Coordinates of all heavy atoms in Angstrom, one line a residue:
M1452 N 78.1 82.0 98.9 CA 78.3 83.4 98.5 C 78.8 83.4 97.1 O 79.4 84.4 96.7 CB 79.3 84.0 99.4 CG 78.8 84.0 100.9 SD 78.6 85.7 101.1 CE 77.2 86.2 101.7
R1453 N 78.5 82.5 96.3 CA 78.9 82.5 94.9 C 78.0 83.2 93.9 O 76.8 83.1 94.2 CB 79.2 81.0 94.4 CG 80.2 80.3 95.2 CD 81.5 80.4 94.6 NE 82.4 79.5 95.3 CZ 83.7 79.9 95.7 NH1 84.1 81.1 95.5 NH2 84.4 79.1 96.3
N1454 N 78.5 83.7 92.9 CA 77.6 84.3 91.8 C 77.1 83.2 91.0 O 77.8 82.4 90.5 CB 78.4 85.3 90.9 CG 77.6 86.0 89.9 OD1 76.5 85.8 89.8 ND2 78.2 86.9 89.2
T1455 N 75.8 83.2 90.8 CA 75.2 82.1 90.0 C 74.6 82.6 88.7 O 73.7 82.0 88.2 CB 74.0 81.4 90.8 OG1 73.1 82.4 91.1 CG2 74.6 80.7 92.0
S1456 N 75.2 83.6 88.1 CA 74.7 84.2 86.9 C 75.4 83.6 85.6 O 75.6 84.3 84.6 CB 74.9 85.7 86.9 OG 76.3 86.0 86.9
G1457 N 75.7 82.3 85.6 CA 76.1 81.7 84.3 C 77.5 81.8 84.0 O 78.3 81.1 84.5
Q1458 N 77.8 82.8 83.2 CA 79.2 82.9 82.5 C 80.2 83.2 83.5 O 81.4 82.8 83.4 CB 79.2 83.9 81.5 CG 79.0 85.4 81.9 CD 79.0 86.3 80.8 OE1 78.8 86.0 79.7 NE2 79.0 87.6 81.1
N1459 N 80.0 83.8 84.7 CA 81.0 84.1 85.6 C 81.3 83.0 86.6 O 82.1 83.2 87.5 CB 80.6 85.4 86.4 CG 80.7 86.7 85.6 OD1 81.5 86.7 84.6 ND2 79.8 87.6 85.8
D1460 N 80.5 81.9 86.6 CA 80.6 80.9 87.5 C 82.0 80.2 87.5 O 82.6 79.9 88.5 CB 79.6 79.8 87.3 CG 78.2 80.1 87.8 OD1 78.1 81.1 88.5 OD2 77.3 79.5 87.4
E1461 N 82.6 80.1 86.3 CA 83.9 79.5 86.2 C 85.0 80.3 86.9 O 85.8 79.9 87.5 CB 84.3 79.2 84.7 CG 83.4 78.2 84.0 CD 82.2 78.9 83.4 OE1 82.4 80.1 83.0 OE2 81.2 78.3 83.2
L1462 N 84.8 81.6 86.7 CA 85.8 82.6 87.3 C 85.7 82.6 88.8 O 86.8 82.5 89.5 CB 85.6 84.0 86.7 CG 85.8 84.2 85.2 CD1 85.4 85.6 84.8 CD2 87.3 83.9 84.9
L1463 N 84.5 82.7 89.3 CA 84.3 82.8 90.8 C 84.6 81.4 91.5 O 85.0 81.4 92.6 CB 83.0 83.3 91.1 CG 82.7 84.7 90.7 CD1 81.3 85.1 91.0 CD2 83.6 85.7 91.4
A1464 N 84.5 80.3 90.8 CA 84.7 79.1 91.4 C 86.2 78.9 91.8 O 86.5 78.1 92.7 CB 84.2 77.9 90.5
D1465 N 87.1 79.6 91.1 CA 88.5 79.5 91.4 C 89.0 80.4 92.5 O 90.1 80.3 92.9 CB 89.3 79.8 90.1 CG 89.0 78.7 89.0 OD1 88.6 77.6 89.3 OD2 89.2 79.2 87.9
V1466 N 88.1 81.4 92.9 CA 88.5 82.3 93.9 C 88.2 81.8 95.3 O 87.0 81.4 95.5 CB 87.8 83.6 93.7 CG1 88.2 84.6 94.8 CG2 88.1 84.2 92.3
P1467 N 89.1 81.7 96.2 CA 88.8 81.2 97.6 C 87.8 82.2 98.3 O 87.7 83.4 97.9 CB 90.1 81.3 98.4 CG 91.2 81.3 97.3 CD 90.5 81.9 96.1
D1468 N 87.0 81.6 99.2 CA 85.9 82.4 99.8 C 86.4 83.7 100.5 O 85.8 84.7 100.4 CB 85.2 81.5 100.8 CG 84.3 80.4 100.2 OD1 84.0 80.6 98.9 OD2 84.0 79.5 100.8
S1469 N 87.5 83.6 101.2 CA 88.1 84.8 101.9 C 88.4 85.9 100.9 O 88.2 87.1 101.1 CB 89.2 84.4 102.8 OG 90.2 83.8 102.1
E1470 N 89.0 85.4 99.8 CA 89.4 86.5 98.7 C 88.1 87.1 98.2 O 88.1 88.3 98.0 CB 90.2 85.8 97.6 CG 90.6 86.7 96.6 CD 91.8 87.6 96.9 OE1 92.6 87.1 97.8 OE2 92.0 88.6 96.3
L1471 N 87.1 86.3 98.0 CA 85.8 86.9 97.5 C 85.2 87.8 98.4 O 84.8 88.9 98.1 CB 84.9 85.7 97.1 CG 83.6 86.0 96.4 CD1 83.8 86.8 95.2 CD2 82.8 84.8 96.2
M1472 N 85.2 87.4 99.7 CA 84.7 88.3 100.8 C 85.5 89.6 100.8 O 84.9 90.7 101.0 CB 84.6 87.6 102.1 CG 83.5 86.5 102.2 SD 81.9 87.1 101.7 CE 81.7 88.4 103.0
A1473 N 86.8 89.5 100.7 CA 87.6 90.8 100.7 C 87.2 91.7 99.6 O 87.0 92.9 99.8 CB 89.1 90.4 100.6
V1474 N 87.0 91.1 98.4 CA 86.6 91.9 97.3 C 85.3 92.6 97.5 O 85.0 93.7 97.2 CB 86.6 91.1 95.9 CG1 86.0 91.8 94.8 CG2 88.1 90.7 95.7
V1475 N 84.3 91.8 98.0 CA 83.0 92.3 98.2 C 83.0 93.4 99.3 O 82.3 94.4 99.1 CB 82.0 91.2 98.7 CG1 80.7 91.7 99.2 CG2 81.7 90.2 97.5
L1476 N 83.7 93.2 100.4 CA 83.8 94.2 101.4 C 84.4 95.5 100.9 O 83.9 96.6 101.2 CB 84.6 93.7 102.6 CG 83.8 92.7 103.5 CD1 84.7 92.2 104.7 CD2 82.5 93.4 104.1
E1477 N 85.5 95.4 100.1 CA 86.1 96.5 99.5 C 85.2 97.3 98.6 O 85.2 98.5 98.6 CB 87.4 96.1 98.8 CG 88.5 95.7 99.7 CD 89.7 95.0 98.9 OE1 89.5 94.7 97.8 OE2 90.7 94.9 99.6
G1478 N 84.4 96.6 97.9 CA 83.5 97.2 96.9 C 82.4 97.9 97.7 O 81.9 99.0 97.3
R1479 N 81.9 97.3 98.7 CA 80.8 98.0 99.5 C 81.2 98.9 100.5 O 80.4 100.0 100.8 CB 80.0 96.9 100.2 CG 79.2 96.0 99.2 CD 78.2 95.1 99.9 NE 77.3 94.5 99.0 CZ 76.1 94.9 98.8 NH1 75.6 95.9 99.4 NH2 75.3 94.2 97.9
H1480 N 82.3 98.8 101.2 CA 82.7 99.6 102.3 C 84.0 100.4 102.1 O 84.4 101.1 103.0 CB 82.8 98.8 103.6 CG 81.5 98.0 103.8 ND1 80.4 98.7 104.4 CD2 81.2 96.7 103.8 CE1 79.5 97.8 104.6 NE2 79.9 96.6 104.2
G1481 N 84.7 100.2 100.9 CA 85.9 100.9 100.6 C 87.0 100.9 101.7 O 87.3 99.8 102.1
S1482 N 87.5 102.0 102.1 CA 88.6 102.0 103.1 C 88.2 101.5 104.5 O 89.0 101.2 105.3 CB 89.1 103.4 103.2 OG 88.2 104.3 103.7
Y1483 N 86.9 101.2 104.7 CA 86.4 100.7 106.0 C 86.2 99.2 105.9 O 85.8 98.6 106.9 CB 85.1 101.3 106.4 CG 85.2 102.8 106.6 CD1 84.7 103.7 105.7 CD2 85.8 103.3 107.7 CE1 84.8 105.0 105.9 CE2 86.0 104.7 107.9 CZ 85.4 105.5 107.0 OH 85.5 106.9 107.2
A1484 N 86.6 98.5 104.9 CA 86.4 97.1 104.7 C 87.1 96.2 105.8 O 86.5 95.3 106.3 CB 86.9 96.7 103.3
A1485 N 88.3 96.5 106.1 CA 89.0 95.7 107.1 C 88.3 95.9 108.5 O 88.1 95.0 109.2 CB 90.4 96.2 107.3
E1486 N 87.9 97.1 108.8 CA 87.2 97.4 110.1 C 85.8 96.6 110.1 O 85.4 96.1 111.1 CB 86.9 98.9 110.3 CG 88.2 99.6 110.7 CD 89.1 100.0 109.6 OE1 88.7 99.7 108.4 OE2 90.2 100.4 109.8
V1487 N 85.2 96.6 109.0 CA 83.9 95.8 109.0 C 84.1 94.4 109.2 O 83.5 93.7 110.0 CB 83.2 96.1 107.6 CG1 82.0 95.1 107.5 CG2 82.7 97.5 107.4
A1488 N 85.2 93.8 108.6 CA 85.6 92.4 108.8 C 85.9 92.2 110.3 O 85.6 91.1 110.9 CB 86.7 92.0 107.8
E1489 N 86.7 93.1 110.8 CA 87.0 93.0 112.2 C 85.9 93.0 113.2 O 85.8 92.3 114.2 CB 88.0 94.1 112.7 CG 89.5 93.9 112.2 CD 90.2 92.8 112.8 OE1 89.8 92.4 113.9 OE2 91.1 92.3 112.2
F1490 N 84.9 93.8 112.9 CA 83.6 93.9 113.5 C 82.9 92.5 113.5 O 82.6 92.1 114.6 CB 82.7 94.9 113.0 CG 81.3 94.8 113.5 CD1 80.9 95.3 114.8 CD2 80.3 94.1 112.8 CE1 79.6 95.2 115.3 CE2 79.0 94.0 113.3 CZ 78.7 94.6 114.5
F1491 N 82.8 91.8 112.4 CA 82.2 90.5 112.4 C 83.0 89.5 113.1 O 82.5 88.6 113.7 CB 82.0 90.1 110.9 CG 80.8 90.8 110.3 CD1 81.0 91.7 109.2 CD2 79.5 90.7 110.8 CE1 79.9 92.3 108.6 CE2 78.5 91.3 110.3 CZ 78.6 92.1 109.1
A1492 N 84.4 89.7 113.0 CA 85.2 88.7 113.8 C 84.9 88.8 115.3 O 84.9 87.8 116.0 CB 86.7 88.9 113.5
L1493 N 84.9 90.1 115.8 CA 84.5 90.3 117.3 C 83.2 89.8 117.6 O 83.0 89.1 118.6 CB 84.7 91.7 117.5 CG 84.4 92.2 119.0 CD1 85.3 91.5 120.0 CD2 84.6 93.7 119.1
L1494 N 82.2 90.1 116.7 CA 80.8 89.7 116.9 C 80.7 88.1 117.1 O 80.2 87.6 118.1 CB 79.9 90.2 115.9 CG 78.5 89.6 115.9 CD1 77.8 90.2 117.1 CD2 77.7 90.0 114.6
H1495 N 81.4 87.5 116.2 CA 81.3 86.0 116.3 C 82.0 85.4 117.5 O 81.7 84.4 118.0 CB 81.8 85.4 114.9 CG 80.7 85.5 113.9 ND1 79.5 84.9 113.8 CD2 80.7 86.3 112.8 CE1 78.8 85.2 112.7 NE2 79.5 86.1 112.1
R1496 N 83.2 86.1 117.8 CA 83.9 85.7 119.0 C 83.0 85.8 120.2 O 83.0 84.9 121.1 CB 85.2 86.4 119.2 CG 86.0 86.0 120.3 CD 87.4 86.6 120.4 NE 87.6 87.7 119.5 CZ 88.4 88.7 119.7 NH1 89.2 88.8 120.8 NH2 88.7 89.6 118.7
Q1497 N 82.3 86.9 120.4 CA 81.5 87.2 121.5 C 80.3 86.2 121.5 O 79.8 85.8 122.5 CB 81.0 88.6 121.5 CG 82.0 89.6 121.9 CD 81.6 91.0 121.8 OE1 80.5 91.3 121.2 NE2 82.3 91.9 122.4
L1498 N 79.9 85.8 120.3 CA 78.8 84.8 120.3 C 79.3 83.4 120.4 O 78.5 82.4 120.5 CB 78.0 84.9 118.9 CG 77.3 86.2 118.6 CD1 76.8 86.3 117.2 CD2 76.2 86.3 119.7
G1499 N 80.6 83.2 120.6 CA 81.1 81.8 120.9 C 81.4 81.0 119.6 O 81.6 79.8 119.7
D1500 N 81.4 81.6 118.4 CA 81.6 80.9 117.2 C 83.1 81.2 116.8 O 83.3 82.2 116.0 CB 80.6 81.4 116.1 CG 80.6 80.5 114.9 OD1 81.6 79.8 114.7 OD2 79.7 80.5 114.1
R1501 N 84.0 80.4 117.3 CA 85.4 80.6 117.1 C 85.8 80.5 115.6 O 86.5 81.2 115.0 CB 86.2 79.7 117.9 CG 87.7 79.8 117.8 CD 88.4 78.9 118.7 NE 89.9 79.1 118.5 CZ 90.8 78.3 118.9 NH1 90.5 77.2 119.7 NH2 92.0 78.6 118.7
G1502 N 85.2 79.5 114.9 CA 85.5 79.3 113.5 C 85.2 80.4 112.6 O 86.0 80.9 111.8
R1503 N 84.0 81.0 112.8 CA 83.6 82.2 112.0 C 84.4 83.4 112.4 O 84.8 84.2 111.5 CB 82.1 82.4 112.1 CG 81.3 81.5 111.3 CD 79.9 81.9 111.2 NE 79.2 81.0 110.4 CZ 77.9 80.7 110.5 NH1 77.2 81.3 111.4 NH2 77.4 79.8 109.8
S1504 N 84.7 83.5 113.7 CA 85.6 84.6 114.1 C 86.9 84.6 113.5 O 87.4 85.7 113.0 CB 85.7 84.6 115.7 OG 86.6 85.6 116.1
Q1505 N 87.5 83.4 113.4 CA 88.8 83.3 112.8 C 88.7 83.5 111.3 O 89.6 84.2 110.7 CB 89.4 81.9 113.1 CG 89.8 81.8 114.5 CD 90.3 80.3 114.8 OE1 90.0 79.4 114.0 NE2 91.0 80.2 115.9
A1506 N 87.7 83.1 110.7 CA 87.5 83.3 109.3 C 87.4 84.8 108.9 O 88.0 85.3 108.0 CB 86.2 82.6 108.7
W1507 N 86.6 85.5 109.7 CA 86.4 87.0 109.5 C 87.7 87.7 109.8 O 88.1 88.7 109.1 CB 85.3 87.5 110.3 CG 84.0 87.4 109.7 CD1 83.0 86.5 110.1 CD2 83.5 88.0 108.5 NE1 82.0 86.6 109.2 CE2 82.2 87.5 108.2 CE3 84.0 88.9 107.6 CZ2 81.4 87.9 107.2 CZ3 83.3 89.4 106.6 CH2 82.0 88.9 106.2
G1508 N 88.5 87.2 110.7 CA 89.8 87.8 111.1 C 90.8 87.6 109.9 O 91.5 88.5 109.6
G1509 N 90.7 86.5 109.2 CA 91.5 86.2 108.1 C 91.1 87.1 106.9 O 91.9 87.6 106.1
V1510 N 89.8 87.4 106.7 CA 89.3 88.3 105.7 C 89.9 89.7 106.0 O 90.3 90.4 105.1 CB 87.8 88.3 105.6 CG1 87.3 89.5 104.7 CG2 87.3 87.0 105.2
A1511 N 89.9 90.1 107.3 CA 90.4 91.5 107.7 C 91.9 91.6 107.3 O 92.3 92.6 106.7 CB 90.1 91.7 109.1
R1512 N 92.6 90.5 107.6 CA 94.1 90.5 107.3 C 94.3 90.6 105.8 O 95.1 91.3 105.3 CB 94.7 89.3 107.8 CG 95.0 89.4 109.4 CD 95.8 88.3 109.9 NE 95.2 86.9 109.7 CZ 94.2 86.4 110.4 NH1 93.8 87.0 111.5 NH2 93.8 85.2 110.2
L1513 N 93.5 89.9 105.1 CA 93.5 89.8 103.6 C 93.2 91.2 103.0 O 93.9 91.7 102.1 CB 92.6 88.8 103.0 CG 92.7 88.6 101.5 CD1 94.1 88.3 101.0 CD2 91.7 87.5 101.1
V1514 N 92.2 91.9 103.5 CA 91.9 93.2 103.1 C 93.0 94.2 103.3 O 93.4 95.0 102.5 CB 90.6 93.7 103.7 CG1 90.4 95.2 103.5 CG2 89.3 93.0 103.2
R1515 N 93.6 94.1 104.5 CA 94.7 95.0 104.8 C 95.9 94.7 104.0 O 96.6 95.6 103.5 CB 95.1 94.9 106.2 CG 94.0 95.6 107.2 CD 94.5 95.6 108.6 NE 93.6 96.3 109.4 CZ 92.7 95.7 110.2 NH1 92.7 94.4 110.2 NH2 91.8 96.4 110.9
R1516 N 96.2 93.5 103.6 CA 97.3 93.1 102.7 C 97.0 93.6 101.4 O 98.0 94.1 100.7 CB 97.5 91.6 102.8 CG 98.8 91.2 102.0 CD 99.2 89.7 102.1 NE 98.1 89.0 101.4 CZ 97.6 87.9 101.8 NH1 98.2 87.3 102.8 NH2 96.7 87.2 101.1
R1517 N 95.8 93.5 100.9 CA 95.5 94.0 99.5 C 95.6 95.5 99.5 O 96.2 96.0 98.5 CB 94.1 93.6 99.2 CG 93.9 92.1 98.8 CD 92.5 91.6 98.8 NE 91.7 92.5 97.9 CZ 91.5 92.3 96.5 NH1 92.1 91.2 96.0 NH2 90.8 93.0 95.9
E1518 N 95.2 96.2 100.5 CA 95.3 97.6 100.6 C 96.8 98.0 100.6 O 97.2 99.0 99.8 CB 94.7 98.1 101.8 CG 94.6 99.7 102.0 CD 93.9 100.1 103.1 OE1 94.5 100.0 104.3 OE2 92.7 100.5 103.0
H1519 N 97.6 97.3 101.3 CA 99.0 97.6 101.4 C 99.7 97.3 100.0 O 100.5 98.2 99.6 CB 99.7 96.7 102.4 CG 101.2 96.9 102.5 ND1 102.1 96.1 102.0 CD2 101.9 97.8 103.3 CE1 103.3 96.5 102.3 NE2 103.2 97.5 103.0
D1520 N 99.4 96.3 99.3 CA 99.9 96.0 98.0 C 99.5 97.1 97.0 O 100.3 97.5 96.2 CB 99.4 94.6 97.5 CG 100.1 93.4 98.3 OD1 101.0 93.7 99.1 OD2 99.5 92.4 98.2
R1521 N 98.3 97.6 97.1 CA 97.8 98.7 96.2 C 98.6 99.9 96.4 O 99.0 100.6 95.6 CB 96.3 98.9 96.4 CG 95.5 97.9 95.6 CD 94.0 98.4 95.6 NE 93.4 98.6 96.9 CZ 92.8 97.6 97.6 NH1 92.7 96.4 97.1 NH2 92.2 97.9 98.8
M1522 N 98.8 100.2 97.8 CA 99.6 101.4 98.0 C 101.0 101.3 97.5 O 101.6 102.2 97.1 CB 99.6 101.7 99.6 CG 98.2 102.2 100.0 SD 98.0 102.5 101.8 CE 99.6 102.7 102.5
L1523 N 101.7 100.1 97.7 CA 103.0 99.9 97.2 C 103.0 100.0 95.7 O 104.0 100.6 95.1 CB 103.6 98.6 97.6 CG 104.0 98.4 99.0 CD1 104.4 97.0 99.3 CD2 105.0 99.5 99.4
A1524 N 102.0 99.6 95.0 CA 102.0 99.7 93.6 C 101.8 101.1 93.0 O 102.4 101.4 92.0 CB 100.8 98.9 93.0
T1525 N 101.2 102.0 93.8 CA 101.1 103.4 93.4 C 102.4 104.2 93.6 O 102.7 105.1 92.9 CB 99.9 104.1 94.1 OG1 100.2 104.1 95.5 CG2 98.6 103.4 93.7
V1526 N 103.2 103.7 94.5 CA 104.5 104.4 94.9 C 105.5 104.1 93.8 O 106.3 104.8 93.5 CB 104.9 104.0 96.3 CG1 106.3 104.5 96.6 CG2 104.0 104.4 97.3
Q1527 N 105.5 102.8 93.3 CA 106.6 102.4 92.4 C 106.3 102.9 91.0 O 105.7 103.3 90.4 CB 106.6 100.9 92.4 CG 107.0 100.4 93.7 CD 107.0 98.8 93.8 OE1 106.6 98.2 92.8 NE2 107.4 98.2 94.8

């Protein structure tokens, strides 16, 4: 899921996959990003893929944490 467009490769190579997925989901789904990640976590759990389910759950938690941090930044 990495960008292969040359100059941005160095920047994206340093970003963990879950962080990158959180950014992509936020960009595509806005305030629903955490719910989308939770949907994929549930889907993979039902399909018996525990590893992917846990990974998507981690992305959902990360999206929620990022949203919380942004809300705190606007209050201060």
Side-chain angles (χ1 to χ4, degrees):
M1452 296 247 125
R1453 301 265 187 226
N1454 184 357
T1455 57
S1456 63
Q1458 68 183 13
N1459 291 330
D1460 285 344
E1461 297 90 27
L1462 297 175
L1463 292 177
D1465 296 333
V1466 178
D1468 289 339
S1469 58
E1470 180 78 24
L1471 184 60
M1472 287 306 300
V1474 170
V1475 169
L1476 284 176
E1477 289 170 345
R1479 290 190 170 260
H1480 301 287
S1482 62
Y1483 298 107
E1486 285 80 8
V1487 171
E1489 285 291 337
F1490 167 79
F1491 284 117
L1493 178 60
L1494 174 68
H1495 286 291
R1496 185 176 0 157
Q1497 290 175 342
L1498 293 174
D1500 192 341
R1501 183 177 178 191
R1503 285 191 178 153
S1504 176
Q1505 289 177 341
W1507 278 110
V1510 171
R1512 286 187 300 278
L1513 183 56
V1514 168
R1515 287 191 177 98
R1516 187 176 64 215
R1517 289 169 50 89
E1518 184 178 77
H1519 181 262
D1520 291 347
R1521 282 192 300 271
M1522 288 177 21
L1523 285 179
T1525 59
V1526 171
Q1527 297 175 355

